[in-house]
Amino acid sequence: MGSTRKAGRPKVPAAGRILRAASEMFYREGIRAVGVDAIAAKANVTKKSLYDNFGSKDALIAAYLRARDERWRAWLVDEVDRRGGTAKERLLSTFDALEGWIEKGNFRGCGFVNAATELPHDGHPARAVVMDQKSWLRGYLEDLAAEGGAENPESLAEQLMILHEGANVASSLNISTNSAQRAREIASLLVADLG
Amino acid sequence: MGSTRKAGRPKVPAAGRILRAASEMFYREGIRAVGVDAIAAKANVTKKSLYDNFGSKDALIAAYLRARDERWRAWLVDEVDRRGGTAKERLLSTFDALEGWIEKGNFRGCGFVNAATELPHDGHPARAVVMDQKSWLRGYLEDLAAEGGAENPESLAEQLMILHEGANVASSLNISTNSAQRAREIASLLVADLG
DNA sequence: GAGTAATTATACATACCGGTATAGTTACTT
DNA sequence: AAGTAACTATACCGGTATGTATAATTACTC
């Protein structure tokens, strides 16, 4: 008793706390390494609430990735818009944004790539969310490339995707110092002839 | 009875069969997804033999990665040597080699990066093997870069590492078609002023 | 004030996890 | 012929996995 909650409608709904706890633990420890009991415990929630809200661990994983995708897209667009400039400069800004994201701390690679690694089966609902995230970024880059007058926007977008993914991996394994900026330098060669 | 083995010294020793089974299953399904029972069953070996030979699952994981690293290094060096050419051409050949490795089938990304993703704790013996593999490749590229008269071989090697890692991820997620060749095209810009 | 949705608390079911123990069997070595 | 290394067979241990069942409690709505 005292100040500990008992039941009823909480100020911060259980679903939100569960998703927050799952997001942190899934990303930091790995999806398969984290059990639903541990998530429920960290969220101060019973397992029943977790299953009432999400249905299954697999669905919770997909929800985690969807929420992460939403946060990440908003953040990237905001960072790029904030810096402004031409389409060419905005393409390069995506690498500055990546650098900022990495330096927020506890970076452990791209959460979507990590999820795809841990859940290799095609039917898993998480994989669709991963593909969505990759498709969206590719489209975003392609649109900027077209706006900048690229000869082949699709091709340029795919090249920049390789640089983004490479910078993510290189950064998580400390293969090079400041991988995002190094990727940006390479990217600047690719966009050199853009307006 | 019949032709099924019973005991004694087998033609193909148990350790080899275990490592072979573990390698396939760890890479394809993921390390945490595969249990020791399943490995022993696929290798036609009892769990006791597995533990007599490797001591623990963690040690088996490290052995899997070491064997994979050995195979991969030999294969890469051989592919690059076979193609011959100047240092500049050999740097680009590493991407041709990567393409060949990817197209051997059942490609599911870099096994070492995947292992690091699944085993994030620093103390795990597998992580040292992963870092070894990355350090070796970086050194190999750096040596070729120096041989080619690069202004800053270290920096060039790190850039090429980003391209290699990016091509691996892009290929495993089908982000672009022929990611290795696309990475090679980018690399050719980076080595343009080499001898 | 009655009803309902959201939640807690607790216990359980079934399966698999990594790892160990004990005993028996075969093949090669000397 | 004896000894030993490499294995098989089988059973077991405690822990943890996802998921379910049942009942009590609280807060909000009408």
Side-chain angles (χ1 to χ4, degrees):
Chain A
M1 313 128 184
S3 65
T4 59
R5 297 197 25 77
K6 290 283 177 60
R9 301 198 184 160
K11 302 267 170 58
V12 177
R17 280 179 304 166
I18 294 164
L19 201 52
R20 189 180 273 252
S23 292
E24 265 193 41
M25 299 174 84
F26 281 156
Y27 181 71
R28 284 160 84 136
E29 301 291 325
I31 291 171
R32 304 199 82 119
V34 175
V36 287
D37 293 86
I39 294 168
K42 183 160 185 183
N44 271 309
V45 147
T46 59
K47 248 198 308 187
K48 179 154 191 313
S49 294
L50 191 153
Y51 276 92
D52 284 350
N53 276 285
F54 294 95
S56 71
K57 183 184 178 181
D58 285 337
L60 177 58
I61 295 166
Y64 144 62
L65 291 172
R66 273 192 298 269
R68 188 178 179 88
D69 191 16
E70 216 169 302
R71 255 180 290 140
W72 177 81
R73 287 188 200 187
W75 192 84
L76 179 72
V77 170
D78 188 64
E79 288 288 304
V80 170
D81 285 352
R82 197 168 55 74
R83 286 175 169 82
T86 64
K88 175 180 172 177
E89 289 166 332
R90 293 157 87 88
L91 281 172
L92 294 177
S93 287
T94 63
F95 292 93
D96 297 318
L98 175 60
E99 185 190 7
W101 183 268
I102 288 169
E103 283 173 354
K104 280 206 263 180
N106 299 314
F107 184 69
R108 220 175 70 74
C110 172
F112 306 95
V113 173
N114 291 354
T117 295
E118 291 205 80
L119 309 165
H121 290 357
D122 261 344
H124 198 289
R127 291 194 72 92
V129 186
V130 173
M131 295 319 292
D132 253 28
Q133 192 259 349
K134 296 306 171 199
S135 297
W136 178 84
L137 177 56
R138 191 167 76 169
Y140 182 73
L141 295 171
E142 194 175 324
D143 289 349
L144 282 174
E147 192 186 321
E151 215 173 291
N152 191 340
E154 192 179 332
S155 170
L156 178 54
E158 289 182 4
Q159 289 180 317
L160 296 175
M161 285 297 289
I162 290 175
L163 290 175
H164 269 275
E165 300 300 346
N168 267 291
V169 172
S171 183
S172 73
L173 295 183
N174 286 312
I175 286 173
S176 86
T177 56
N178 214 343
S179 303
Q181 280 307 311
R182 231 169 252 282
R184 198 197 126 111
E185 288 161 22
I186 303 171
S188 70
L189 296 178
L190 300 176
V191 302
D193 53 346
L194 257 58
Chain B
M1 310 93 194
S3 62
T4 59
R5 295 198 29 74
K6 288 285 176 59
R9 301 198 184 160
K11 302 266 168 63
V12 177
R17 287 188 332 236
I18 294 165
L19 200 53
R20 191 180 273 253
S23 292
E24 266 193 41
M25 299 174 82
F26 280 156
Y27 181 71
R28 284 160 84 136
E29 302 290 324
I31 291 173
R32 304 198 82 120
V34 175
V36 287
D37 293 86
I39 295 168
K42 182 159 188 184
N44 270 310
V45 146
T46 60
K47 243 194 317 184
K48 180 158 188 311
S49 295
L50 191 153
Y51 277 92
D52 284 348
N53 276 285
F54 294 94
S56 70
K57 183 184 178 180
D58 285 338
L60 177 59
I61 294 166
Y64 145 62
L65 290 172
R66 273 193 298 269
R68 189 179 178 88
D69 191 15
E70 218 169 299
R71 255 180 289 141
W72 177 81
R73 287 188 200 187
W75 192 85
L76 179 71
V77 170
D78 189 64
E79 287 288 305
V80 170
D81 285 353
R82 196 167 57 74
R83 285 176 169 81
T86 63
K88 174 180 170 177
E89 289 166 332
R90 293 157 87 87
L91 281 172
L92 293 176
S93 287
T94 62
F95 292 93
D96 297 319
L98 175 60
E99 185 190 8
W101 183 269
I102 287 169
E103 282 173 356
K104 282 206 263 181
N106 299 314
F107 184 70
R108 219 175 72 75
C110 172
F112 306 94
V113 173
N114 291 353
T117 295
E118 290 204 81
L119 309 166
H121 290 358
D122 262 344
H124 198 289
R127 291 194 74 91
V129 186
V130 173
M131 294 320 292
D132 253 28
Q133 193 259 348
K134 296 307 170 199
S135 297
W136 179 84
L137 178 56
R138 192 167 74 169
Y140 181 73
L141 296 172
E142 194 174 324
D143 289 348
L144 282 174
E147 192 187 322
E151 215 173 291
N152 191 340
E154 192 179 332
S155 171
L156 178 54
E158 289 183 4
Q159 289 180 318
L160 295 175
M161 284 297 289
I162 291 175
L163 289 176
H164 268 276
E165 300 301 345
N168 266 292
V169 172
S171 183
S172 74
L173 294 183
N174 287 312
I175 285 173
S176 85
T177 56
N178 215 342
S179 303
Q181 280 307 312
R182 231 168 251 283
R184 196 197 128 111
E185 287 161 24
I186 303 171
S188 70
L189 296 176
L190 301 176
V191 301
D193 52 348
L194 257 57

